[in-house]
């Protein structure tokens, strides 16, 4: 989607607010990971997520965003992102991406994890591992003085050197008083381009990785994105602040647990 506003640099108190929303998102995703057992319906997870956010004084960030009808995105197996919660029951061997956003005091946090439901194939588990590592390769480049696409390049390099492919039609994004702010963050491309990274930027970095082709199609429901060849797909996301002391991952739990 075209975004044409300037980059919003955040004051420390604003990073703190984004941090509160982000911490809650992380805690909810970690709880959802425990709930995601064989036999559970993806709509049960959506209700669980919404109840948890509301109980903690937050609002779901995705519900109503461009007409999205749920709190949570649940993308199973070949579904890349934006899978709609439904009566579908999880089965042993599925991989499940959970994407969640929250608003606390007017500021957004956004994160995603992909989890194994029961035991999964060796290929599936390698896909999860490589996608999580690619996120952290990207985060390691989220340093003041680097260029934006240093993040993009690091993600692509890790993914492709492991024989997988990076989804190109969706990007990461700035985040703050809106879910999607400038800059857009592609997960591929040459390093050394885009704006210089500076303290006060807060970025949602979110590689989506397919086991087969990088091409994606959108289903009839107008939301669910699937890999064109129906190969498995994984997604990990963190909300990250660029500080004087390097990248600070905001989507971690109170006790410091992340992914
Ligand atoms: N993490 C995704 C994003 O940043 C989730 C958006 S889902 C939507 O774009 F429903 F809100 F669009
Ligand atoms: Co996002």
């Amino acid at each position: 989607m075209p975004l044409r506003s300037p980059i919003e640099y955040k004051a420390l108190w604003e990073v703190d607010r984004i941090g509160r929303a982000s911490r809650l998102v992380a805690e909810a995703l970690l709880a959802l990971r425990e709930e995601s057992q064989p036999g559970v319906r993806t709509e049960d997870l959506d209700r669980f997520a919404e109840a948890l956010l509301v109980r903690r004084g937050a609002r779901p960030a995705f519900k109503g965003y461009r007409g999205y009808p749920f709190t949570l995105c649940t993308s199973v197996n070949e579904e890349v992102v934006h899978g709609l919660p439904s009566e579908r029951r999880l089965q042993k061997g599925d991989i499940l991406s959970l994407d969640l956003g929250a608003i606390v005091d007017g500021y957004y946090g956004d994160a995603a994890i992909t989890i194994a439901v029961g035991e999964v194939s060796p290929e599936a588990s390698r896909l999860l591992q490589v996608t999580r590592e690619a996120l952290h390769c990207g985060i390691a480049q989220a340093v003041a003085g680097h260029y934006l696409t240093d993040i993009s390049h690091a993600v692509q390099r890790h993914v492709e050197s492991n024989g997988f492919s990076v989804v190109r039609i969706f990007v990461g994004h700035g985040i703050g008083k809106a879910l999607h702010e400038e800059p857009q963050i592609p997960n591929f491309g040459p390093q050394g381009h885009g704006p210089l990274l500076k303290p006060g930027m807060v970025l949602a970095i979110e590689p989506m990785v397919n086991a087969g082709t990088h091409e994606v199609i959108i289903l009839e429901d107008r939301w669910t994105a699937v890999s064109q060849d129906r190969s498995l797909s994984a997604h990990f996301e963190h909300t990250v602040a660029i500080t004087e002391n390097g990248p600070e991952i905001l989507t971690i739990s109170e006790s410091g647990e992340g992914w």
Side-chain angles (χ1 to χ4, degrees):
M1 65 203 73
L3 303 167
R4 293 176 190 288
S5 20
I7 293 171
E8 301 269 0
Y9 296 91
K10 279 83 185 177
L12 284 177
W13 68 268
E14 294 181 288
V15 175
D16 211 64
R17 291 242 193 126
I18 300 167
R20 282 165 55 206
S22 296
R23 206 144 42 239
L24 183 51
V25 167
E27 284 167 8
L29 285 174
L30 292 167
L32 284 159
R33 188 168 71 183
E34 303 306 310
E35 295 299 310
S36 299
Q37 301 297 330
V40 170
R41 297 188 199 89
T42 53
E43 67 187 12
D44 300 334
L45 298 174
D46 180 67
R47 268 197 299 272
F48 180 95
E50 181 160 342
L52 193 152
L53 294 191
V54 171
R55 195 165 64 236
R56 300 272 303 263
R59 280 200 299 129
F62 300 165
K63 207 170 193 170
Y65 180 84
R66 294 174 163 249
Y68 187 76
F70 297 99
T71 293
L72 189 65
C73 300
T74 55
S75 309
V76 183
N77 297 334
E78 76 281 4
E79 296 173 357
V80 177
V81 285
H82 305 161
L84 302 175
S86 73
E87 292 177 2
R88 177 178 186 159
R89 290 180 190 276
L90 298 176
Q91 293 181 351
K92 183 167 162 280
D94 285 340
I95 60 170
L96 169 67
S97 300
L98 298 170
D99 192 349
L100 181 66
I103 312 170
V104 173
D105 283 345
Y107 285 80
Y108 286 73
D110 183 13
I113 53 174
T114 303
I115 63 187
V117 179
E119 201 183 316
V120 300
S121 70
E123 192 200 32
S125 104
R126 201 169 67 83
L127 178 68
L128 302 198
Q129 165 98 356
V130 167
T131 308
R132 189 188 313 106
E133 288 167 356
L135 168 61
H136 287 281
C137 291
I139 292 172
Q141 296 300 317
V143 171
H146 288 205
Y147 289 93
L148 181 79
T149 69
D150 296 354
I151 298 172
S152 316
H153 186 73
V155 168
Q156 180 178 27
R157 189 183 141 96
H158 188 72
V159 169
E160 292 182 355
S161 67
N162 282 281
F164 296 133
S165 64
V166 158
V167 171
R168 297 167 183 232
I169 67 164
F170 299 113
V171 294
H173 49 96
I175 183 168
K177 277 184 287 202
L179 177 61
H180 294 139
E181 296 184 355
E182 285 285 325
Q184 295 190 28
I185 313 170
N187 291 300
F188 66 97
Q191 64 194 37
H193 297 268
L196 256 182
L197 302 178
K198 294 184 188 160
M201 291 172 77
V202 181
L203 306 176
I205 302 173
E206 49 178 321
M208 289 143 270
V209 175
N210 292 350
T213 176
H214 71 80
E215 298 282 357
V216 160
I217 61 173
I218 310 294
L219 299 185
E220 293 274 87
D221 64 22
R222 303 176 60 91
W223 279 105
T224 311
V226 300
S227 58
Q228 191 172 66
D229 60 5
R230 303 304 197 267
S231 61
L232 293 176
S233 186
H235 179 206
F236 282 86
E237 177 177 16
H238 269 307
T239 295
V240 178
I242 294 173
T243 77
E244 308 277 0
N245 306 313
E248 184 187 354
I249 300 176
L250 300 178
T251 34
I252 54 173
S253 74
E254 187 81 53
S255 59
E257 200 183 342
W259 44 85

